[in-house]
Amino acid sequence: EAGVAQSPRYKIIEKRQSVAFWCNPISGHATLYWYQQILGQGPKLLIQFQNNGVVDDSQLPKDRFSAERLKGVDSTLKIQPAKLEDSAVYLCASSLTAGRSTRNEQFFGPGTRLTVL
Amino acid sequence: RKEVEQDPGPFNVPEGATVAFNCTYSNSASQSFFWYRQDCRKEPKLLMSVYSSGNEDGRFTAQLNRASQYISLLIRDSKLSDSATYLCVVNRYNQGGKLIFGQGTELSVKP
């Protein structure tokens, strides 16, 4: 079974530039998550989608970050404009469902490592 | 105070050693608990779920104490391949399955 796909794997940009990340979840997974992992810390949830609707975006810096999942499958996360403190690994994860279920195990993609100079 | 706190690392142990990781969580509404493993420059992967009765998977034993809001992971007979960062994770169903991660504890097993 194919896992969660992400691209690009690495990105280097200068501050104030824009960047976009792409995620393709495991086929059939309704729930998709974007996490930010800063070096030395655990992943932090940015946004969660259930199909194409947003479930939780409470920790998404909405002045510069945006995300969409238009057809309930692929998702993109955008940063505009980037700041130095956005340097991190951006992880996408998916699960069959969410909440109280044995089917809510989250599977992570390999991540996109962003460096902002 | 962070919602999930773990022992600061790194832990450097010889092969064959037994090592224990501790984790505390602050929100009593947390409902399910996990240990994830993250290899260097890789994504996190589920190691095991943690149940109130305690559970074991080979050399790994996880314990949960809801009254103390404390989770532990014990690794017996450490192998070189156990070297990784171990992440303590809690989940609240009423928040749509959101996972809250601790900062991780790095383990390095030496020959």
Side-chain angles (χ1 to χ4, degrees):
Chain A
E1 180 184 286
V4 177
Q6 290 188 247
S7 67
R9 293 294 310 277
Y10 304 92
K11 190 73 176 178
I12 300 174
I13 61 172
E14 295 188 349
K15 60 183 179 184
R16 291 187 288 273
Q17 286 188 319
S18 302
V19 64
F21 313 128
W22 174 81
C23 173
N24 181 238
I26 293 172
S27 178
H29 280 198
T31 311
L32 185 147
Y33 312 79
W34 282 102
Y35 290 87
Q36 179 193 59
Q37 186 172 23
I38 292 171
L39 187 65
Q41 299 181 19
K44 181 185 83 170
L45 181 70
L46 292 175
I47 189 166
Q48 176 184 343
F49 292 94
Q50 180 72 17
N51 296 308
N52 60 350
V54 175
V55 173
D56 184 348
D57 64 356
S58 58
Q59 296 193 88
L60 187 74
K62 298 180 186 65
D63 58 334
R64 298 184 300 107
F65 286 64
S66 63
E68 59 183 16
R69 193 184 184 200
L70 291 175
K71 296 183 179 179
V73 182
D74 293 6
S75 177
T76 54
L77 175 70
K78 296 179 183 177
I79 307 175
Q80 180 180 16
K83 292 186 176 181
L84 296 176
E85 59 260 36
D86 297 333
S87 294
V89 176
Y90 291 85
L91 293 160
C92 180
S94 70
S95 62
L96 272 170
T97 183
R100 193 181 195 95
S101 168
T102 55
R103 302 188 305 163
N104 67 355
E105 179 182 347
Q106 293 184 28
F107 296 86
F108 285 82
T112 297
R113 187 173 299 272
L114 174 67
T115 302
V116 182
L117 304 176
Chain B
R1 183 186 172 190
K2 292 181 181 176
E3 188 164 347
V4 180
E5 296 211 55
Q6 298 185 234
D7 284 336
F11 282 43
N12 296 301
V13 304
E15 269 188 294
T18 295
V19 60
F21 302 133
N22 301 312
C23 171
T24 57
Y25 60 96
S26 60
N27 193 322
S28 59
S30 300
Q31 292 166 298
S32 58
F33 309 89
F34 309 93
W35 285 99
Y36 273 70
R37 170 190 169 130
Q38 186 170 27
D39 292 301
C40 187
R41 302 179 78 86
K42 299 283 190 179
E43 70 272 23
K45 291 185 178 177
L46 179 64
L47 178 65
M48 59 197 302
S49 300
V50 188
Y51 305 115
S52 296
S53 53
N55 48 299
E56 190 173 306
D57 182 3
R59 298 181 292 107
F60 297 82
T61 301
Q63 296 276 357
L64 167 65
N65 184 321
R66 286 186 185 270
S68 303
Q69 296 181 196
Y70 169 86
I71 306 160
S72 65
L73 177 68
L74 184 76
I75 306 175
R76 290 181 299 279
D77 188 23
S78 300
K79 311 291 184 192
L80 297 177
S81 56
D82 294 333
S83 297
T85 295
Y86 291 83
L87 297 157
C88 176
V89 187
V90 304
N91 172 286
R92 292 202 290 276
Y93 302 134
N94 62 357
Q95 290 196 0
K98 176 179 178 177
L99 295 183
I100 300 163
F101 287 79
Q103 76 271 31
T105 303
E106 184 182 346
L107 171 66
S108 180
V109 182
K110 307 291 187 184

